[in-house]
Amino acid sequence: MLLCDIGNTSYHFLDGELSFKKSVASFNPYKMKETIYYISVNQKVSNELKDLANWINLADYIDMKFYYDTMGIDRIVASLTVENGIIIDAGSAITVDVVKNGRFEGGFIYPGVVAMQKSYENISPALAYSFNFDLSLNKLPKNSQDAISYGYLKTLYSEVVSHKMPIILTGGDAKLFKKIFKDAKVDEELIFKGMQKIIRNFDI
């Protein structure tokens, strides 16, 4: 079974246990002959794929009454894998979604690491630091790098832990955020697991 999670910049494939990526800018989906089950947050790519019979859009099987219209399909599919918990998808943006008793309760979107670092740099070149994920969030910083790191990470951390639920980290920066959310579980294939659940439930 070939699965594909399509983002803004890449096609992320899972073929059995083999995971690999292709660039949206250069990959040609028309060359694929096998059946591919996919989700996509990239509208341009979605428009290209809708006429390809071997590309099966799993978004067509989602009952949107449990979500909101503009919610990303990747967030929806990830939420299908959790009965009770908070999902943090740490990518170009950081999405945080709360699931209770198998139902999506709501969530929020936070700037990703690269976007937030650039925002500080845009304020002043003197703030052009990378974030320190090893700092303590239990005391106020006394240097500039830790000051911007604290401002970014403490806000996110405080909101997430206030819900007092298990935390699941996924996405490209999941392992970085594991340093902050020390009790969290990292699951880099969470979205693929949600896709597999849809396929099983609907016998696709």
Side-chain angles (χ1 to χ4, degrees):
M1 181 183 295
L2 190 55
L3 305 177
C4 187
D5 173 21
I6 304 168
N8 292 313
T9 60
S10 66
Y11 293 78
H12 186 188
F13 289 94
L14 183 68
D15 186 0
E17 295 183 358
L18 176 64
S19 173
F20 58 96
K21 292 185 178 182
K22 299 288 185 180
S23 170
V24 163
S26 59
F27 179 71
N28 183 357
Y30 290 85
K31 292 184 177 180
M32 303 293 288
K33 302 304 178 186
E34 53 268 76
T35 298
I36 302 160
Y37 302 92
Y38 76 95
I39 60 168
S40 173
V41 298
N42 188 316
Q43 191 58 53
K44 182 175 182 293
V45 172
S46 297
N47 290 337
E48 293 175 355
L49 296 179
K50 65 183 180 181
D51 295 325
L52 299 180
N54 62 315
W55 286 77
I56 310 299
N57 188 357
L58 295 179
D60 294 338
Y61 297 87
I62 299 293
D63 188 343
M64 287 302 298
K65 72 182 180 184
F66 298 113
Y67 308 97
Y68 58 87
D69 290 343
T70 56
M71 186 173 175
I73 188 63
D74 51 345
R75 295 172 62 193
I76 293 172
V77 171
S79 73
L80 296 175
T81 66
V82 176
E83 186 66 22
N84 287 286
I86 300 178
I87 302 166
I88 303 175
D89 190 342
S92 52
I94 296 170
T95 59
V96 181
D97 294 305
V98 178
V99 181
K100 292 182 180 178
N101 299 318
R103 287 288 190 98
F104 170 69
E105 293 291 314
F108 62 93
I109 302 173
Y110 202 69
V113 172
V114 173
M116 190 60 105
Q117 285 177 177
K118 286 181 178 178
S119 72
Y120 280 111
E121 186 175 353
N122 289 339
I123 295 169
S124 169
L127 298 179
Y129 292 100
S130 59
F131 292 122
N132 176 15
F133 281 81
D134 295 310
L135 86 167
S136 170
L137 296 180
N138 295 320
K139 60 182 180 180
L140 290 173
K142 293 184 178 180
N143 64 72
S144 295
Q145 181 184 26
D146 286 355
I148 65 168
S149 302
Y150 184 96
Y152 176 56
L153 297 172
K154 180 73 172 189
T155 304
L156 176 63
Y157 176 84
S158 297
E159 172 60 28
V160 169
V161 300
S162 71
H163 294 274
K164 298 179 180 179
M165 299 181 73
I167 300 166
I168 304 97
L169 290 162
T170 192
D173 288 328
K175 290 180 180 177
L176 273 179
F177 282 91
K178 171 69 173 173
K179 295 181 177 182
I180 301 299
F181 298 100
K182 298 185 185 300
D183 295 329
K185 175 185 176 183
V186 174
D187 190 340
E188 296 175 344
E189 296 187 354
L190 194 67
I191 289 176
F192 289 127
K193 290 177 179 177
M195 294 171 71
Q196 291 166 340
K197 184 174 181 178
I198 294 171
I199 292 168
R200 288 193 307 270
N201 287 351
F202 289 92
D203 195 23
I204 304 171

